[in-house]
Amino acid sequence: MKGILLAGGSGTRLLPLTQTLSKQLLPVYNKPLIYYPLSTLMLAGIREILIISTPRDLPMIERLLGDGSQIGLSLHYAVQEKPNGIAEAFTIGADFLQGEPVCLVLGDNIFHSHELPHLLARATNRKEGASVLACRVSNPSAYGVVELDATGKPIRLVEKPAKPASNWAVTGLYFYDGQVHDIARSLRPSQRGELEITDINQIYLERGQLNIEFMGRGAAWFDAGTFDSLLGASQYVHMLEVRQGLMIGLPEEIAWRMNYISTDDVRATAKAMRNNPLGNYLLGLLDEPRAHA
């Protein structure tokens, strides 16, 4: 399975912060926002990833992440000229994907849960259909909501419903089999002029091939595209890291624990960040076993 990290959009909800800087490069406590969705793809075992962003922002992101070899990845880059919708990612990335199954994550989405690797493994190992992550929220009217039958199977998707049928919001993490490429090519722009990811999910639902992976009690999901959510995400990461002494969303640590890079690679990266808390943290890891913490 290949991955797409969609880091586009104009970031207007975060002006003036995004006047000269990509939203995905804004800090969430001690790391750039883009580290967190990238880490989610890594935890899913995905190593070949296409990053899509705007003509202005893509060079900045590429300067940060490079070709990915330093963390055991193969990173590719493509431009989305205008914000024409999430589903356009599949047509932009057609040459990269070559008809293969794909996981798409939005560049401002942050996921954290002890069970997250297990949810990701179930979704990536599913050979047919689509899988989306759903998270219980207190304000479902602000999100796309999945309506469930008595057995927990999805029966309807509703975008920002006035009277939500459930508290389960569809997050910005999507897994698709090879059907998605033909489906994406068949889409027509919505009333707001975009190619909607909801339309793709609806087609899978109508075919009886949409699976829901539920993030359980205590899981955290942030759509960090507003001032409040960006601050909330930073406070959450800060609280956990200070209390536990373990970092969230650090690609170098994930790459090391998953044997993508060697201990010597980690040591070299840490030394390049000497007198920096992240560098000191990486050095401290080398006294631990590589098993997931």
Side-chain angles (χ1 to χ4, degrees), residues 189-266:
S190 65
Q191 290 185 344
R192 60 178 186 161
E194 296 189 7
L195 299 174
E196 305 286 357
I197 197 72
T198 302
D199 291 343
I200 291 180
N201 294 336
Q202 184 65 36
I203 291 172
Y204 275 101
L205 178 62
E206 292 168 358
R207 294 178 179 179
Q209 295 182 317
L210 182 67
N211 304 282
I212 309 295
E213 294 291 346
F214 296 97
M215 299 182 69
R217 183 184 292 269
W221 165 57
F222 295 91
D223 176 2
T226 67
F227 294 118
D228 286 344
S229 58
L230 190 65
L231 175 61
S234 291
Q235 291 172 328
Y236 177 85
V237 172
H238 174 264
M239 177 192 69
L240 283 184
E241 291 191 355
V242 169
R243 177 172 288 273
Q244 296 186 341
L246 296 170
M247 287 200 174
I248 300 170
L250 187 60
E252 290 85 356
E253 176 179 6
I254 295 171
W256 179 69
R257 291 195 185 277
M258 298 184 78
N259 291 306
Y260 294 170
I261 59 175
S262 70
T263 295
D264 287 341
D265 293 328
V266 175

Side-chain angles (χ1 to χ4, degrees), residues 127-240:
K127 302 303 181 183
E128 294 183 351
S131 301
V132 299
L133 256 67
C135 186
R136 187 177 178 87
V137 296
S138 59
N139 56 335
S141 293
Y143 303 98
V145 172
V146 57
E147 183 178 347
L148 308 166
D149 67 13
T151 66
K153 291 184 62 176
I155 55 176
R156 193 160 64 118
L157 300 171
V158 185
E159 191 66 27
K160 298 181 179 178
K163 296 181 178 180
S166 80
N167 286 82
W168 291 101
V170 177
T171 70
L173 183 63
Y174 317 91
F175 296 82
Y176 300 108
D177 64 8
Q179 298 178 80
V180 72
H181 307 290
D182 288 336
I183 294 173
R185 283 192 291 268
S186 72
L187 294 182
R188 296 294 178 264
S190 65
Q191 290 185 344
R192 60 178 186 161
E194 296 189 7
L195 299 174
E196 305 286 357
I197 197 72
T198 302
D199 291 343
I200 291 180
N201 294 336
Q202 184 65 36
I203 291 172
Y204 275 101
L205 178 62
E206 292 168 358
R207 294 178 179 179
Q209 295 182 317
L210 182 67
N211 304 282
I212 309 295
E213 294 291 346
F214 296 97
M215 299 182 69
R217 183 184 292 269
W221 165 57
F222 295 91
D223 176 2
T226 67
F227 294 118
D228 286 344
S229 58
L230 190 65
L231 175 61
S234 291
Q235 291 172 328
Y236 177 85
V237 172
H238 174 264
M239 177 192 69
L240 283 184

Side-chain angles (χ1 to χ4, degrees), residues 81-109:
E81 295 289 348
K82 296 179 181 178
N84 293 324
I86 296 171
E88 189 185 35
F90 301 111
T91 54
I92 293 173
D95 290 341
F96 166 78
L97 295 171
Q98 293 291 303
E100 293 187 30
V102 56
C103 173
L104 169 66
V105 64
L106 303 186
D108 57 5
N109 271 225

